mmCIF file of all heavy atoms in Angstrom:
data_model
loop_
_atom_site.group_PDB
_atom_site.id
_atom_site.type_symbol
_atom_site.label_atom_id
_atom_site.label_comp_id
_atom_site.label_asym_id
_atom_site.label_seq_id
_atom_site.Cartn_x
_atom_site.Cartn_y
_atom_site.Cartn_z
ATOM 1 N N ASP A 46 96.025 100.602 122.218
ATOM 2 C CA ASP A 46 95.487 101.952 122.193
ATOM 3 C C ASP A 46 96.154 102.812 123.259
ATOM 4 O O ASP A 46 96.391 103.984 123.050
ATOM 5 C CB ASP A 46 93.970 101.941 122.433
ATOM 6 C CG ASP A 46 93.209 101.317 121.281
ATOM 7 O OD1 ASP A 46 93.790 101.230 120.182
ATOM 8 O OD2 ASP A 46 92.047 100.927 121.493
ATOM 9 N N GLN A 47 96.464 102.206 124.394
ATOM 10 C CA GLN A 47 97.075 102.946 125.486
ATOM 11 C C GLN A 47 98.444 103.469 125.062
ATOM 12 O O GLN A 47 98.768 104.618 125.305
ATOM 13 C CB GLN A 47 97.215 102.045 126.711
ATOM 14 C CG GLN A 47 97.698 102.777 127.938
ATOM 15 C CD GLN A 47 97.763 101.860 129.137
ATOM 16 O OE1 GLN A 47 97.722 100.646 128.998
ATOM 17 N NE2 GLN A 47 97.863 102.445 130.299
ATOM 18 N N GLY A 48 99.260 102.645 124.407
ATOM 19 C CA GLY A 48 100.577 103.082 123.965
ATOM 20 C C GLY A 48 100.480 104.151 122.898
ATOM 21 O O GLY A 48 101.233 105.116 122.890
ATOM 22 N N ALA A 49 99.521 104.029 121.991
ATOM 23 C CA ALA A 49 99.377 105.001 120.916
ATOM 24 C C ALA A 49 98.904 106.353 121.438
ATOM 25 O O ALA A 49 99.408 107.384 121.046
ATOM 26 C CB ALA A 49 98.412 104.474 119.859
ATOM 27 N N LYS A 50 97.938 106.361 122.336
ATOM 28 C CA LYS A 50 97.430 107.625 122.870
ATOM 29 C C LYS A 50 98.439 108.239 123.836
ATOM 30 O O LYS A 50 98.583 109.439 123.900
ATOM 31 C CB LYS A 50 96.102 107.412 123.589
ATOM 32 C CG LYS A 50 94.948 107.246 122.635
ATOM 33 C CD LYS A 50 93.656 107.306 123.377
ATOM 34 C CE LYS A 50 92.497 107.221 122.409
ATOM 35 N NZ LYS A 50 91.223 107.355 123.074
ATOM 36 N N LYS A 51 99.126 107.419 124.574
ATOM 37 C CA LYS A 51 100.051 107.899 125.573
ATOM 38 C C LYS A 51 101.227 108.631 124.925
ATOM 39 O O LYS A 51 101.624 109.690 125.349
ATOM 40 C CB LYS A 51 100.556 106.714 126.392
ATOM 41 C CG LYS A 51 101.403 107.080 127.582
ATOM 42 C CD LYS A 51 101.772 105.818 128.303
ATOM 43 C CE LYS A 51 102.391 106.105 129.641
ATOM 44 N NZ LYS A 51 102.786 104.892 130.315
ATOM 45 N N GLU A 52 101.774 108.071 123.878
ATOM 46 C CA GLU A 52 102.960 108.624 123.252
ATOM 47 C C GLU A 52 102.646 109.514 122.050
ATOM 48 O O GLU A 52 103.533 110.155 121.519
ATOM 49 C CB GLU A 52 103.886 107.478 122.804
ATOM 50 C CG GLU A 52 104.310 106.554 123.915
ATOM 51 C CD GLU A 52 105.179 107.224 124.962
ATOM 52 O OE1 GLU A 52 105.755 108.291 124.670
ATOM 53 O OE2 GLU A 52 105.269 106.706 126.065
ATOM 54 N N GLY A 53 101.402 109.517 121.577
ATOM 55 C CA GLY A 53 101.044 110.329 120.423
ATOM 56 C C GLY A 53 101.565 109.759 119.120
ATOM 57 O O GLY A 53 101.967 110.513 118.242
ATOM 58 N N VAL A 54 101.602 108.454 118.998
ATOM 59 C CA VAL A 54 102.120 107.806 117.808
ATOM 60 C C VAL A 54 101.046 107.791 116.729
ATOM 61 O O VAL A 54 99.924 107.387 116.973
ATOM 62 C CB VAL A 54 102.557 106.353 118.131
ATOM 63 C CG1 VAL A 54 103.048 105.659 116.875
ATOM 64 C CG2 VAL A 54 103.618 106.354 119.193
ATOM 65 N N LYS A 55 101.419 108.274 115.530
ATOM 66 C CA LYS A 55 100.497 108.238 114.406
ATOM 67 C C LYS A 55 100.835 107.047 113.527
ATOM 68 O O LYS A 55 102.006 106.769 113.282
ATOM 69 C CB LYS A 55 100.625 109.500 113.562
ATOM 70 C CG LYS A 55 99.967 110.698 114.141
ATOM 71 C CD LYS A 55 99.763 111.730 113.061
ATOM 72 C CE LYS A 55 100.739 112.853 113.203
ATOM 73 N NZ LYS A 55 100.577 113.885 112.202
ATOM 74 N N ILE A 56 99.818 106.364 113.041
ATOM 75 C CA ILE A 56 100.030 105.269 112.114
ATOM 76 C C ILE A 56 99.573 105.755 110.749
ATOM 77 O O ILE A 56 98.417 106.110 110.554
ATOM 78 C CB ILE A 56 99.253 104.013 112.548
ATOM 79 C CG1 ILE A 56 99.760 103.560 113.920
ATOM 80 C CG2 ILE A 56 99.398 102.914 111.519
ATOM 81 C CD1 ILE A 56 98.966 102.445 114.532
ATOM 82 N N ILE A 57 100.504 105.778 109.801
ATOM 83 C CA ILE A 57 100.241 106.279 108.459
ATOM 84 C C ILE A 57 100.033 105.092 107.525
ATOM 85 O O ILE A 57 100.814 104.141 107.540
ATOM 86 C CB ILE A 57 101.431 107.129 107.963
ATOM 87 C CG1 ILE A 57 101.798 108.219 108.953
ATOM 88 C CG2 ILE A 57 101.144 107.710 106.591
ATOM 89 C CD1 ILE A 57 100.736 109.242 109.206
ATOM 90 N N ASP A 58 98.983 105.147 106.701
ATOM 91 C CA ASP A 58 98.741 104.055 105.760
ATOM 92 C C ASP A 58 99.570 104.261 104.490
ATOM 93 O O ASP A 58 100.154 105.317 104.266
ATOM 94 C CB ASP A 58 97.247 103.924 105.446
ATOM 95 C CG ASP A 58 96.687 105.147 104.762
ATOM 96 O OD1 ASP A 58 97.276 106.228 104.907
ATOM 97 O OD2 ASP A 58 95.659 105.015 104.072
ATOM 98 N N VAL A 59 99.612 103.236 103.663
ATOM 99 C CA VAL A 59 100.455 103.230 102.469
ATOM 100 C C VAL A 59 99.982 104.264 101.446
ATOM 101 O O VAL A 59 100.799 104.938 100.816
ATOM 102 C CB VAL A 59 100.473 101.818 101.836
ATOM 103 C CG1 VAL A 59 101.340 101.792 100.596
ATOM 104 C CG2 VAL A 59 100.959 100.804 102.839
ATOM 105 N N ASP A 60 98.680 104.411 101.283
ATOM 106 C CA ASP A 60 98.157 105.363 100.305
ATOM 107 C C ASP A 60 98.557 106.797 100.654
ATOM 108 O O ASP A 60 98.892 107.587 99.770
ATOM 109 C CB ASP A 60 96.633 105.241 100.216
ATOM 110 C CG ASP A 60 96.210 103.876 99.703
ATOM 111 O OD1 ASP A 60 96.959 103.306 98.882
ATOM 112 O OD2 ASP A 60 95.147 103.375 100.131
ATOM 113 N N THR A 61 98.557 107.132 101.931
ATOM 114 C CA THR A 61 98.988 108.456 102.366
ATOM 115 C C THR A 61 100.471 108.646 102.080
ATOM 116 O O THR A 61 100.899 109.716 101.649
ATOM 117 C CB THR A 61 98.716 108.648 103.872
ATOM 118 O OG1 THR A 61 97.338 108.393 104.118
ATOM 119 C CG2 THR A 61 99.066 110.049 104.326
#
Side-chain angles (χ1 to χ4, degrees):
D46 292 341
Q47 186 177 15
K50 283 191 177 183
K51 187 178 191 182
E52 302 295 341
V54 178
K55 283 198 255 181
I56 298 173
I57 307 297
D58 63 337
V59 180
D60 296 327
T61 305

